[in-house]
Structures are given as C-alpha cells and as structure tokens.
Amino acid sequence: ETGVTQTPRHLVMGMTNKKSLKCEQHLGHNAMYWYKQSAKKPLELMFVYNFKEQTENNSVPSRFSPECPNSSHLFLHLHTLQPEDSALYLCASSQHLPGQGYNEQFFGPGTRLTVL
Amino acid sequence: QKEVEQDPGPLSVPEGAIVSLNCTYSNSAFQYFMWYRQYSRKGPELLMYTYSSGNKEDGRFTAQVDKSSKYISLFIRDSQPSDSATYLCAMMTEYGNKLVFGAGTILRVKS
C-alpha cells in the first residue's frame, strides 16, 4: 500500500450534485497532483500544487475546483458534472515539483466516479 | 499525432513467456522514461525508470530506450500470473513540468 490515500474509493453522483474527493499523503512530499484516467486513454494531468500553491491548471473546466489547505491534503470539489466526467480520479505526490529533474510520483488508489 | 503511442492490448501470454511491451513517441526532447504498473482497482506504481538511452535491468524486468528510433520497451522474463496488470509508459523532458503517459497496455498472463 502506498503512502497516498484517497476517499471515497467509489462515488456515484447526479449531474446536479456537489461532492468532494479527498487525498492525503503521508510521505512528507511538497507537490501534489490530480489526474483523470479514462478507459483506453492516457492519464490526463488536471492540477498541480506545490506547497499549497497551484502551479498548473491544465485547462480543466470550472466544474472541477481543487483545494490544497496544506502540503499533505488535496481536495477536488465537483459540481454540475457531466456523464463524460465519469472516470478514475487519481491523486499523486512527489518530493519536488516537476521541472527540477526527475522525481518519482507516488499515486493513490483513485476514486472511481460515475456521473449519472 | 499523439505524443506517446502505446498499444492498449490486451496482450495474453502463457505463464513463463517473455513479454515485450512498447511505446513510441514523437518528442525528441524526452529524457526520462518510466514504466508504471497498475493493478486492477489500484493506482499506478513505478516499476522502472531510465535516463536517456540504454538498458536497465531489475530482476525479471528490463527497460530499453532507443532515442534514435523514439522507441522504448519493457521486457518481462519468466512471466507470472501476478504480472497481469496494465503497464503504462511515461516520459518527461529534462526540466519538463509534467509526465506524458501512454494509454497503457493490458497484460494477461495465463497459468
């Protein structure tokens, strides 16, 4: 089991619901990431945080709203999602930000999201 | 053209076979090459990484990078049913700001 945990593991929501995904890392890392993984598609980077500051927003629709209250916790707030947003949402952390040479990203188990 | 191309499979092999997984890429600036393994209902975990060209071996796993052909491979010797998973290749430039992933290849090793 990795040092990155995610809750809930499964989530079903209607298009008008508001829900949040939670990620926690116990590795003392400085950078945290949200990825979207859809079937037969590459992982898509959504957001990157470094020491609580957002450093990357990969043109993600505003119905996804990230929050990083400290370097150990990361949230993804969801509202008025579409069925095509159904996917596995993965959280990851790394010691440093990308751009500072290689550093391994450690992934959580993901939240399987279904939007009805 | 996608930056990284990876055959999604599934690739089905008998136990004990040698498995070859591959990715091609278009960005000649990629310098870091990673292979992740993802079991069902789990997140990806790093299997191996290589810097620039060459080979790297770790137990039954060998990673190869051919930058002249923009082609990377992961070989698994004496494959086991426990190797059944999705294998993702990923790449990054020297001071790049993000990993670029392939779509993943589903591998099934039959006992």
Side-chain angles (χ1 to χ4, degrees):
Chain A
E1 198 65 46
T2 68
V4 181
T5 58
Q6 291 186 244
T7 54
R9 295 293 307 275
H10 300 272
L11 178 62
V12 180
M13 59 187 289
M15 293 168 61
T16 58
N17 291 158
K18 289 185 180 181
K19 297 286 184 184
S20 295
L21 310 184
K22 179 182 175 183
C23 174
E24 184 173 1
Q25 59 97 358
H26 312 272
L27 302 168
H29 287 167
N30 299 316
M32 296 187 76
Y33 311 75
W34 280 117
Y35 286 90
K36 176 183 179 183
Q37 186 176 33
S38 303
K40 298 188 178 180
K41 289 187 177 180
L43 267 71
E44 299 173 47
L45 180 65
M46 300 175 72
F47 301 103
V48 182
Y49 276 84
N50 183 40
F51 286 115
K52 305 186 298 179
E53 300 295 323
Q54 189 180 125
T55 58
E56 181 100 13
N57 176 338
N58 239 22
S59 303
V60 180
S62 59
R63 58 186 183 270
F64 295 91
S65 174
E67 178 191 1
C68 190
N70 54 61
S71 58
S72 298
H73 293 86
L74 187 63
F75 295 89
L76 189 62
H77 303 299
L78 316 171
H79 63 99
T80 59
L81 293 192
Q82 305 298 311
E84 60 264 29
D85 296 322
S86 299
L88 182 68
Y89 288 84
L90 291 161
C91 174
S93 71
S94 65
Q95 183 64 55
H96 305 294
L97 265 186
Q100 300 178 15
Y102 172 73
N103 68 139
E104 183 179 351
Q105 292 187 20
F106 293 80
F107 286 84
T111 295
R112 174 67 63 187
L113 173 67
T114 303
V115 182
L116 302 175
Chain B
Q1 183 188 8
K2 294 178 186 174
E3 264 192 299
V4 179
E5 298 273 4
Q6 185 175 10
D7 187 335
L11 178 62
S12 188
V13 301
E15 182 175 356
I18 296 175
V19 175
S20 173
L21 303 167
N22 312 293
C23 288
T24 58
Y25 62 93
S26 57
N27 187 350
S28 58
F30 285 141
Q31 288 280 41
Y32 293 101
F33 303 90
M34 280 72 76
W35 286 97
Y36 283 82
R37 179 176 60 196
Q38 185 174 18
Y39 289 116
S40 180
R41 290 183 289 277
K42 299 275 190 178
E45 58 175 340
L46 183 69
L47 204 53
M48 297 183 74
Y49 94 92
T50 311
Y51 176 74
S52 193
S53 280
N55 294 359
K56 189 171 186 178
E57 189 172 322
D58 184 1
R60 295 185 295 112
F61 298 88
T62 300
Q64 284 187 357
V65 175
D66 181 349
K67 291 192 70 181
S68 61
S69 302
K70 298 192 183 70
Y71 189 87
I72 70 169
S73 301
L74 177 70
F75 296 96
I76 307 174
R77 290 183 299 282
D78 187 26
S79 56
Q80 303 295 309
S82 58
D83 294 327
S84 298
T86 298
Y87 290 80
L88 308 167
C89 63
M91 307 173 191
M92 193 170 72
T93 57
E94 181 76 47
Y95 297 105
N97 62 359
K98 66 177 182 179
L99 287 173
V100 181
F101 284 86
T105 299
I106 298 170
L107 173 66
R108 296 178 183 146
V109 181
K110 299 174 291 185
S111 57

